[in-house]
């Protein structure tokens, strides 16, 4: 329960394909002692046959539910981060856990770029603002944000595309800041249009 001095939390969702770095993003930025709940479990022989490991052979764990982390903004506003499981067999929980979200980060992995299309479609269909964060894994080719946007067929004037390293707290904070700025800009535009009608 919030006390009278706490600001209401802002809910953000972190989505993307299997193994793209969603859990790592949350671990990197959230307070590890008080505000992180991760649901990573070891990959078993049974799950390996269901979840394709193409492009991510080093992956040894997988998210089996919802990851959660919290970070407080400088003004005291808490950001609640909900990491969606990337495997298709868990997509049924996305609607429930996305309810009330202020915005979303769609994490893209250039080794398996097609895997983020389902996340893009999901947030587009529900009119939830999002940014695309391209996780730069060690040893992978680097691409300009414009190249990624072209491959994903999105307009960077409408959806920011950001390169980042999910292991780096500063990078993750920049992604979250860009998302908040993007959502606030969209809200201001909608208010201006509404006032003119």
């Amino acid at each position: 329960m919030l006390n009278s001095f706490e600001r209401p939390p802002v809910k953000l969702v972190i989505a993307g394909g299997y193994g793209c770095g969603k859990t790592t993003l949350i671990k990197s930025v959230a307070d590890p002692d008080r505000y992180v709940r991760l649901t990573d479990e070891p990959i078993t022989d049974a799950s390996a046959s269901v979840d394709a490991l193409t492009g991510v052979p080093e992956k040894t764990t997988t998210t089996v539910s919802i990851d959660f982390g919290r970070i407080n903004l400088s003004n005291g506003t808490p950001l609640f981060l909900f990491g969606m499981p990337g495997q298709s067999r868990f997509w049924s929980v996305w609607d429930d856990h996305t309810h009330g979200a202020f915005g979303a980060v769609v994490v893209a992995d250039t080794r398996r770029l097609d895997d983020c299309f389902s996340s893009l479609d999901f947030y587009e269909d529900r009119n939830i603002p999002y940014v695309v964060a391209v996780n730069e894994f060690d040893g992978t080719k680097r691409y300009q944000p414009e190249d990624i946007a072209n491959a994903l067929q999105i307009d960077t004037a409408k959806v920011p595309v950001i390169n980042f390293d999910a292991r780096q707290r500063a990078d993750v904070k920049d992604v979250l800041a860009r998302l908040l700025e993007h959502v606030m800009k969209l809200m201001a535009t909608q208010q201006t249009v509404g006032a003119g009608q």
Side-chain angles (χ1 to χ4, degrees):
M1 181 174 180
L2 294 176
N3 66 44
S4 58
F5 299 105
E6 286 186 311
R7 294 175 179 267
V10 174
K11 179 179 182 179
L12 303 177
V13 289
I14 315 299
Y18 177 62
C20 66
K22 301 179 296 293
T23 298
T24 302
L25 180 156
I26 291 173
K27 283 170 52 176
S28 296
V29 77
D31 182 336
D33 298 322
R34 297 174 58 202
Y35 300 123
V36 178
R37 298 292 179 268
L38 303 177
T39 60
D40 263 12
E41 294 295 336
I43 294 174
T44 63
D45 290 340
S47 65
S49 66
V50 175
D51 302 318
L53 295 174
T54 306
V56 286
E58 74 285 353
K59 188 166 176 58
T60 59
T61 61
T62 186
T63 300
V64 296
S65 184
I66 304 297
D67 290 335
F68 173 78
R70 172 178 169 161
I71 179 174
N72 287 343
L73 298 180
S74 58
N75 67 1
T77 301
L79 295 183
F80 286 1
L81 309 176
F82 289 82
M84 301 292 109
Q87 306 95 311
S88 59
R89 69 181 186 274
F90 292 123
W91 288 350
S92 60
V93 304
W94 282 23
D95 263 321
D96 287 341
H97 291 288
T98 301
H99 182 74
F102 189 69
V105 175
V106 176
V107 182
D109 177 354
T110 57
R111 299 170 300 181
R112 298 157 53 122
L113 196 58
D114 288 351
D115 287 359
C116 70
F117 276 111
S118 56
S119 299
L120 299 178
D121 291 342
F122 181 87
Y123 296 111
E124 286 281 353
D125 291 346
R126 288 155 183 79
N127 292 316
I128 296 173
Y130 65 90
V131 298
V132 175
V134 184
N135 195 6
E136 296 186 325
F137 288 87
D138 291 339
T140 59
K141 184 177 178 180
R142 301 297 191 247
Y143 297 90
Q144 293 300 312
E146 297 78 14
D147 297 328
I148 299 296
N150 287 336
L152 296 176
Q153 300 177 344
I154 57 177
D155 182 353
T156 54
K158 296 179 180 177
V159 178
V161 178
I162 309 136
N163 292 344
F164 86 121
D165 184 334
R167 300 167 298 182
Q168 301 300 319
R169 180 179 174 87
D171 281 15
V172 175
K173 288 176 75 173
D174 182 54
V175 168
L176 298 178
R178 293 281 298 277
L179 173 60
L180 294 174
E181 290 168 5
H182 176 57
V183 176
M184 297 301 288
K185 183 177 177 181
L186 289 175
M187 291 173 64
T189 301
Q190 290 168 358
Q191 289 174 352
T192 301
V193 170
Q197 292 177 347

